Amino acid sequence: MKSISRFKCSMFLFALFVVFCVSMSGTTTFAADKVYTIRLAEFYAAPPGGGGLPKAGSWWAQEVEKRTNGRVKVEIGWSQAFGTVAEMPDLVRTGAVQMAALAPGYYAKQMPLWNVLSAMPFVTYDPEVTCRVTWELYDTFPAMKEELVKNNVKMLYVGVLNPYKFLSKKAIRSLDDMKGLKIRSWGTMLPWAMKTVDAVPVSISVADAYDAFSRGTIDVQVGPADMIVGQG
């Protein structure tokens, strides 16, 4: 097993898909008495930080060890311990880690098709629908799979975040109130959406957003409430 990757695709203000991916090349022989360690690079804080996704990832890691009778262990590098958000696709592609949390919205050049799913605003309020659409796109359009192959990953599962919220230092009651505000952004589509209401998009990953908000680098945090609070 050379590289396993998990990546997250977000629907702006509504839901975040989590996609676990696995990439395998060649044939690997497993010794019956050997303990194998899978390194998972994660940009969320360890549970309970970051909301439900880290809890799910932590549960999965525990289940892997339990169901393999301790023969396979998952070592999670929380809070970018194994590499920054920007580095994670290459860490997986090269086999430096076997698994990583990837949000395609951060990698518009490497994953232009998946990036669309990760930063398309105002799509749906229904997490079940967004999950189903993601799987249908993956199963229906070969280009979606081909894009993952180019990055040496294969999809494993999809999950969903809570609806996105704004955490602002200033009351926002209308679109006019967003003018001039520095709002956390990512990818290529969300910055465009922010500019249309005269806000100032600032590209920052979820891992760095809490500190940026505290320092005043941004005026508005964007994301699920549990994630925003948990990252602190």
Side-chain angles (χ1 to χ4, degrees):
M1 186 178 295
K2 285 233 176 147
S3 45
I4 304 176
S5 167
R6 188 183 78 189
F7 67 81
K8 305 177 174 72
C9 317
S10 63
M11 285 293 191
F12 171 54
L13 299 183
F14 303 117
L16 179 84
F17 307 113
V18 181
V19 184
F20 256 106
C21 306
V22 57
S23 171
M24 304 180 68
S25 57
T27 301
T28 303
T29 301
F30 295 96
D33 57 347
K34 184 176 179 179
V35 174
Y36 297 88
T37 299
I38 296 173
R39 285 163 53 90
L40 165 57
E42 176 62 86
F43 56 78
Y44 281 108
L53 289 179
K55 292 179 182 178
S58 181
W59 173 87
W60 176 84
Q62 293 171 15
E63 286 296 301
V64 168
E65 183 170 351
K66 181 173 70 176
R67 298 188 190 194
T68 60
N69 296 319
R71 290 188 56 220
V72 179
K73 299 180 182 295
V74 181
E75 180 184 357
I76 305 178
W78 299 107
S79 301
Q80 306 182 95
F82 292 158
T84 65
V85 170
E87 296 171 331
M88 287 183 182
D90 286 338
L91 292 176
V92 175
R93 181 180 56 80
T94 61
V97 299
Q98 292 73 45
M99 181 176 288
L102 306 181
Y106 300 149
Y107 317 113
K109 291 184 179 179
Q110 296 103 310
M111 301 179 179
L113 295 178
W114 287 97
N115 168 62
V116 173
L117 294 179
S118 187
M120 185 183 294
F122 315 117
V123 176
T124 175
Y125 288 98
D126 190 332
E128 182 179 353
V129 170
T130 53
C131 278
R132 187 172 69 248
V133 168
T134 301
W135 277 111
E136 288 178 357
L137 287 171
Y138 176 77
D139 289 333
T140 304
F141 295 97
M144 301 295 289
K145 293 183 180 180
E146 291 169 4
E147 190 168 275
L148 299 184
V149 171
K150 290 179 181 178
N151 288 277
N152 196 30
V153 296
K154 185 184 290 184
M155 188 162 72
L156 184 58
Y157 79 72
V158 177
V160 182
L161 269 182
N162 292 321
Y164 273 41
K165 307 291 184 181
F166 283 104
L167 175 63
S168 175
K169 297 179 180 179
K170 171 188 172 183
I172 301 176
R173 298 184 176 89
S174 68
L175 293 179
D176 287 339
D177 292 334
M178 298 178 71
K179 291 182 179 179
L181 291 181
K182 294 175 291 185
I183 301 178
R184 182 210 160 207
S185 179
W186 62 91
T188 56
M189 298 181 184
L190 187 53
W192 175 84
M194 295 296 98
K195 290 177 182 178
T196 61
V197 295
D198 296 323
V200 180
V202 182
S203 292
I204 295 176
S205 74
V206 61
D208 302 317
Y210 188 92
D211 286 342
F213 185 73
S214 300
R215 294 193 304 267
T217 304
I218 55 176
D219 302 313
V220 182
Q221 250 274 43
V222 178
D226 58 342
M227 181 191 72
I228 292 174
V229 174
Q231 285 296 116

